Every structure is written in structure tokens, then in C-alpha cells.
Amino acid sequence: MSVTSAVPEEILQDTYLIQGLMVAAKDAALYHGVLMRTVEDPNSSEMINYAPFSLFPSPVPENLFKEAMDVQKDFNLLIDRVSQDQEFLTKALESTIRVDDFTAHLFEIYKSVRDEGIRQNIILGINRSDYMFHNGQNDKPTLKQIEINTIAASFAGLGSRIPDIHRHVFQVWGKPEEAAKILKCEAIYRITDGIAKAWRMYGSEKAVIVFVVENVARNIFDQRCLEMELWRRNITVLRRKTEEIYQRGILDTDRKLFMHSRVNSQVGHFLLRLFPPVQDWNGRLLLERSRAIKCPDIATHLVGTKKVQQELTRPGVLEKFLYDNPEAVERIRATFVGLYSFDEGEEGDKVVAMAMAEPEHFVLKPQREGGGNNSFGEELKQLLGSLKDSPERSAYILMEKVTPLPVVNYLVHPGVPPKLTECVTELGIFGVYIRRCGNMVINDCSGHLLRTKSTEFADGGVAAGVAVLDSPYLV
Ligand code: ADP
Ligand code: MG
Ligand code: MG
């Protein structure tokens, strides 16, 4: 791919023009509500700023964009089927939960609700599959999955507004035809549709939706986009922390969940918007036991772990789950890179040796979310060196490193002067599905998200302050 920017080099170098576009872009971001609370005051909306974004859209190969959209329904189906296979999940996570407390807690809740019996047969899944464009042989980039997020897949709200900023920037620059080429993004509406549909299926007009939120709510405006869309459809949304749910929530004999704070506020449905996921295990258990529709339920949450992602790449696993759809198996497998387990024994020892020999070709990942947890290069070597022969190494997985061709763009971070930056992009595709008992009622590919970060950083998302929100310019 020769195109590294959506705009010509002379424009990128025109400081006067860029400065003008920056002013216009920042105001457009504020105007369109691309907002974030500040690091200093993450729980107050008294002082807010724009969320970091890129000045221009970044080039994305059109064929790979299409490929990512086309494979999303396959991933929805795969995740949903894996979530129903207790034997597979138990075996896949066995070694990890022995050494990783966090996953062990999740698994304990999973087992306990299974043993008790699950009261809700409607499943709502909202996930986001993330990809990079690997620069392989023949200079032809290929679509490679980084991970799939089954919990708190965020930025559909703010991401859907980035095209408005980019369109405006192109108009101010004097390129209305280019502006018209910028992709619309409807992720927020599609996801709202899915949530509203699940709410109707719950079958009570009075049921409320609870967003289970974290203590620090810097990214609240992204969540508000979803909340406001639901309110617009006359669906009541409450925001609650897990500890509040535990303290104030009541399960009746039918395991309907009620919130103390409002009369009649039966919880029809809750969405885990936590980033990182819930630490308050009692609250999570209460939610999980209830009749409320969970998004995600604990099984689907577990399917989103890095360990399960790795287990899915073993020979025969995709074929087992998608036995009725060999084309889906092909589409999915084409997006995989090498993923390796450190499980005890000779196989795991070989993986350690392989990573130690060429650390620059791999990424070491623990079972965590939200960016900034992975190790690369020298750091990987040191960490793995210290874990080497201990069972603790099973808390991690090893992944082949994807090496995209860089693009250039201006990353707009509050308070940081404009600087032309070499970056890599990561494309996310949202998927929404609803299953009732054995029937898929909805299986939807629900829009995209582009995030871009400086090549200076190997890891880190928007929430971690590294990546910015972007939009694709198809080339
Ligand atoms: P998280 O759940 O924390 O977002 P990810 O697996 O998405 O974990 O990793 C975080 C970031 O690390 C990604 O956004 C990407 O920038 C980088 N990264 C992860 N895996 C790879 C990989 N295989 N090759 C290159 N970069 C990667
Ligand atoms: Mg993740
Ligand atoms: Mg990620």
C-alpha cells in the first residue's frame, strides 16, 4: 500500500493551514459532543474537554474493511456457541484459573450460576472485534484480529460522531468532494436497536435498564450516547455501581431483580459498561443469578478472555463450533495470527523458548482489558524470563506480533501542540446478537470504529490516553 495519508504531503506540511484546521476540528468535536472528562477530575462534568481524535481520517484498505464487516456475523455465532459449551470453557480455562485470581473469580460465578440453574433464556451480546492490517509479503496488507471484546465494548457513541468532525475539516480545507467520501458510522443506533429489542423481549413496560458502571467515569459521554438513545425511545436507564447493586438490589422468589431506590424498578436488563470489568464479585453474582438479561452473561464474558481466544486457534476447534458453516470457518481463520499457550509441559516450554529467542516478533498478554497490560520486546523477555518455569506463566498467552504499515496523521490531544505523527490504526467492528433458547433472533454486524496511535507506543487504548478516535478513509 503506497497511500499513507488521506491528504497530500504538501497539506500535511502546511503549518498555517493545519493550525486553522485544528481550531475548526476542536470546535467541531465540542459541538458534536465528542467529549471526555479530564484526568484531574474524572468524576465531574464541571470541566470537560474533547476526547482525543485524529485531525484527518486515516486510510483503510477497502477490501479489508469489507472483509472485517463480512466476518462479524460469523464471530457473533462463534462466541455465542462457545459460550454454551461448559466442557470447552472449563478445559480451556483450567490452567489459567489455577494461577489467575481474576479469571478464577469469574469462573467461580460461572459455575455457581450454572449449578443453581439459569433463569433467563434471552442472551444479548454486544462485542467488538479488533483488527490491524498486517503488512505481509508482496506488500499486500491482510486483515488480522487483535482480540475480541465481549464486555464493555466501548466508543460506539463517540466513534459515530468522528465522521462529522472529519467531514467538517475537509470542508474547511475546501474539499467538499473528499468530504462526501467520508464513511458514516451508525454503530450507536444499531447497538441501541439491539438493546431496545432485548428490552422488549423481556416483556415488561416497567422494566428499567441498568448500566453497571465503574467508580471512575472519565469516558461517561460515550456511555451517555447510548443512554440518551434509549431514553429517546422511552426506556428508563439507571447507572449503578456493582456495590450499589449488591447493597440495594433485591431478588424476589422468581429471581426478578429490583432496585431499592425506585418503586417498581424491576431490572429488565443490565449492561456491563465496566472498564475494567467488575471487581465487586458479590454484586456481579447477584446480577448473574437474576432474571435480568445480562450483557454479557458470565459465560460470554469468559469467551472474551485472551486465553479462550488462544484456544480457539487450535486445530479443529472452529470446525467443532461452526460444523454447519465451513465458509465461516475459513473467513474466521484467515484473520488469525499465531497464538500460543504456556501450559505446563513440553509444549509450553517450547513456546517460552520461541518467545525468548525472538521477543520482537511476539506480544505477551495477561487476562486483562483496557490497554496497557501487554509486554513487548525486551520487557516481554524479562517478564517471561522471570515466569519461565513456574505455573504462573499460564496466566498469560503469547501472540504473534502484527506489523502494520504506518500511516501519518495529526493526533489531537488536549493541550498538546500539533505534530505530524507516524501511526498505526486499529479497526473495530461491532457485532450485536440476541438468542432466545436455541434461536438466534438477531445476528447483526453493527458498524465500525477506527482508533489510531503513534508507533511510539506498542500498546494502549483511547481510555489509556494513548490512542485517538479516528474514522476510515477507504482506499
Ligand atoms: P486490551 O484488551 O487491553 O485492549 P489488546 O489485545 O487489544 O488488549 O491489546 C492492546 C493493544 O496492544 C492493542 O490495541 C494493540 O495496539 C496492541 N497489540 C495487541 N496485540 C497485538 C499484536 N498481536 N500485534 C501488534 N500489536 C498488538
Ligand atoms: Mg480488550
Ligand atoms: Mg484491545
Side-chain angles (χ1 to χ4, degrees), residues 301-368:
H301 185 170
L302 286 172
V303 181
T305 55
K306 310 280 191 283
K307 179 61 188 169
V308 170
Q309 180 188 4
Q310 170 260 307
E311 288 294 320
L312 291 175
T313 63
R314 286 194 193 273
V317 174
L318 291 180
E319 285 80 357
K320 167 183 145 86
F321 286 108
L322 299 169
Y323 57 89
D324 52 350
N325 197 338
E327 280 125 35
V329 171
E330 287 311 304
R331 281 190 293 264
I332 288 179
R333 180 156 294 129
T335 70
F336 285 172
V337 295
L339 280 139
Y340 308 92
S341 154
F342 290 116
D343 286 357
E344 278 173 86
E346 222 172 274
E347 193 195 337
D349 292 344
K350 275 193 198 149
V351 174
V352 173
M354 176 175 76
M356 295 293 277
E358 291 184 310
E360 66 284 359
H361 289 151
F362 297 100
V363 186
L364 184 63
K365 298 191 177 187
Q367 311 304 311
R368 292 291 175 276

Side-chain angles (χ1 to χ4, degrees), residues 35-39 41-45 47-48 217-218 220-221:
L35 304 172
M36 212 176 240
R37 286 176 175 168
T38 60
V39 181
D41 217 351
N43 285 330
S44 156
S45 294
M47 291 282 281
I48 52 169
R218 235 196 116 199
I220 194 166
F221 296 106

Side-chain angles (χ1 to χ4, degrees), residues 128 130 146-147 149 306 365 369-371 426 451 459 461:
R128 198 191 65 220
D130 292 334
I146 297 299
E147 62 153 348
N149 295 286
K306 310 280 191 283
K365 298 191 177 187
E369 297 295 328
E426 188 171 337
R451 287 167 305 160
D459 189 346

Side-chain angles (χ1 to χ4, degrees), residues 118-135:
I118 292 163
R119 264 300 163 80
Q120 179 53 262
N121 56 29
I122 301 168
I123 298 289
L124 168 67
I126 302 175
N127 65 67
R128 198 191 65 220
S129 180
D130 292 334
Y131 306 90
M132 282 180 171
F133 312 118
H134 183 59
N135 179 35

